[in-house]
């Protein structure tokens, strides 16, 4: 308000002149600031639009993108480890057919049955190793792998007992132990996991060798040898089964003790 009269007076060096200059400068700064704000606002709006456009384009699913993602997820199931597990499952009925072909006592058919059993045992070793080494562990593999293991072993034991080559009590002990330990693992899984012991791995290997020797039509000293290998397998089956029961009892006691301690600490 004071700058206008001073400008009209036109006095040199008057305070009003300084006020006018200051006012003009202020107005210039205001205009410049307004222009900068408008420019910044326009730039921000332009950047936002560009970013939104590029984001929209980045988020836009290309044609067939969903199908491609589904194919990738589906392919993760068809990994090498799972394929080997599926192969073992397929070999079970084939093994039974070969084992019982021509009355079950033809050496040639028994040799083919042994080949199918050997392939199943070998793939059992490799599929777990591949799954752990190359991170190929899937829910399907966790369920199907133990089923395939017990299916081929159970089929071989039942066929041998059916043909009279192996006493039924041996089949009952081995299969009873396997099913019992599997159920025991599920019962105590709330307290922890019972790890596979070295004795259990030796037991599995001994069982595979013993059953494979019985599948073959062996005679003479080899027939005597397979008897002792099977005896060792049965002994390991019972011993490792008892050890798993002991581990399950200890694991349950520890779990209950930890729960009681946690409850007392929470109440305190």
């Amino acid at each position: 308000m004071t700058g206008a009269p001073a400008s009209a007076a036109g006095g040199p060096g008057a305070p009003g002149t300084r006020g006018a200059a200051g006012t003009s400068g202020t107005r210039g700064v205001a205009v410049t600031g307004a222009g900068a704000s408008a420019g910044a606002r326009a730039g921000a709006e332009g950047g936002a639009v560009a970013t939104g456009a590029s984001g929209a384009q980045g988020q836009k699913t290309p044609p067939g993108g969903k199908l491609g993602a589904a194919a990738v997820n589906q392919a993760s199931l068809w990994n090498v480890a799972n394929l080997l597990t599926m192969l073992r499952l397929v070999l079970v009925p084939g093994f039974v057919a070969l084992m019982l072909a021509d009355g079950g006592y033809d050496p040639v058919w028994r040799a083919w049955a042994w080949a199918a059993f050997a392939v199943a045992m070998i793939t059992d070793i490799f599929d777990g190793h591949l799954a752990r080494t190359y991170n190929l562990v899937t829910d399907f593999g966790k369920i199907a792998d133990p089923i395939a293991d017990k299916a081929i072993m159970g089929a071989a034991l039942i066929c041998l007992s059916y043909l009279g080559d192996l006493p039924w009590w041996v089949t009952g002990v081995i299969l009873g132990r396997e099913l019992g330990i599997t159920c025991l693992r599920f019962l105590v899984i709330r307290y922890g996991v019972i790890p596979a012991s070295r004795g259990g791995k030796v037991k599995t290997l001994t069982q595979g060798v013993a059953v494979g020797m019985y599948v073959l039509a062996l005679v003479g000293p080899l027939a005597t040898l397979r008897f002792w290998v099977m005896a060792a397998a049965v002994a390991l089956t019972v011993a490792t089964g008892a050890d798993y029961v002991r581990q399950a009892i200890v694991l349950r006691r520890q779990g209950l003790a930890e729960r009681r301690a946690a409850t007392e600490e929470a109440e305190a």
Side-chain angles (χ1 to χ4, degrees):
M1 292 177 62
T2 57
S7 178
T17 306
R18 287 194 297 270
T23 305
S24 300
T26 304
R27 288 176 180 172
V29 171
V31 171
T32 304
S37 297
R41 187 162 55 250
E45 291 175 354
V49 171
T51 304
S54 61
Q57 291 178 357
Q59 294 177 355
K60 185 178 180 181
T61 304
K66 294 183 179 180
L67 294 177
V72 171
N73 293 334
Q74 191 70 13
S76 64
L77 175 66
W78 298 95
N79 59 60
V80 178
N82 286 346
L83 289 176
L84 291 176
T85 301
M86 294 177 193
L87 176 62
R88 290 211 313 284
L89 289 171
V90 172
L91 282 174
V92 173
F95 167 80
V96 173
L98 293 170
M99 191 71 183
L100 301 179
D102 200 12
Y105 296 103
D106 190 313
V108 176
W109 287 113
R110 293 285 285 262
W112 282 107
W114 176 86
F117 182 80
V119 170
M121 291 295 101
I122 293 172
T123 55
D124 179 28
I125 298 173
F126 281 103
D127 65 351
H129 175 73
L130 290 172
R132 291 186 297 270
T133 303
Y134 298 101
N135 195 23
L136 300 176
V137 178
T138 61
D139 292 335
F140 171 80
K142 293 177 183 178
I143 297 173
D145 184 68
I147 292 176
D149 298 343
K150 291 172 177 56
I152 190 66
M153 182 61 70
L157 290 169
I158 292 173
C159 286
L160 290 171
S161 294
Y162 173 77
L163 295 173
D165 293 338
L166 191 67
W168 277 105
W169 69 267
V170 174
T171 297
V173 168
I174 294 177
L175 294 185
R177 184 266 189 199
E178 298 299 331
L179 295 176
I181 295 303
T182 300
C183 294
L184 188 63
R185 286 178 184 272
F186 281 108
L187 288 175
V188 300
I189 196 170
R190 69 183 70 177
Y191 307 109
V193 177
I194 303 176
S197 63
R198 180 170 298 182
K201 295 177 181 178
V202 174
K203 177 270 305 178
T204 301
L205 177 61
T206 308
Q207 281 184 359
V209 173
V211 172
M213 294 179 72
Y214 268 85
V215 170
L216 286 173
L218 299 178
V219 294
L222 290 177
T224 303
L225 177 62
R226 72 181 182 181
F227 169 82
W228 291 109
V229 176
M230 181 60 75
V234 172
L236 287 170
T237 298
V238 175
T240 55
D243 183 63
Y244 277 123
V245 172
R246 179 193 62 80
Q247 292 185 53
I249 294 174
V250 172
L251 189 63
R252 182 176 181 275
R253 288 177 178 174
Q254 291 177 349
L256 292 175
E258 291 175 358
R259 286 187 178 184
R260 283 195 297 268
T263 302
E264 293 175 358
E265 183 178 354
E267 292 177 351

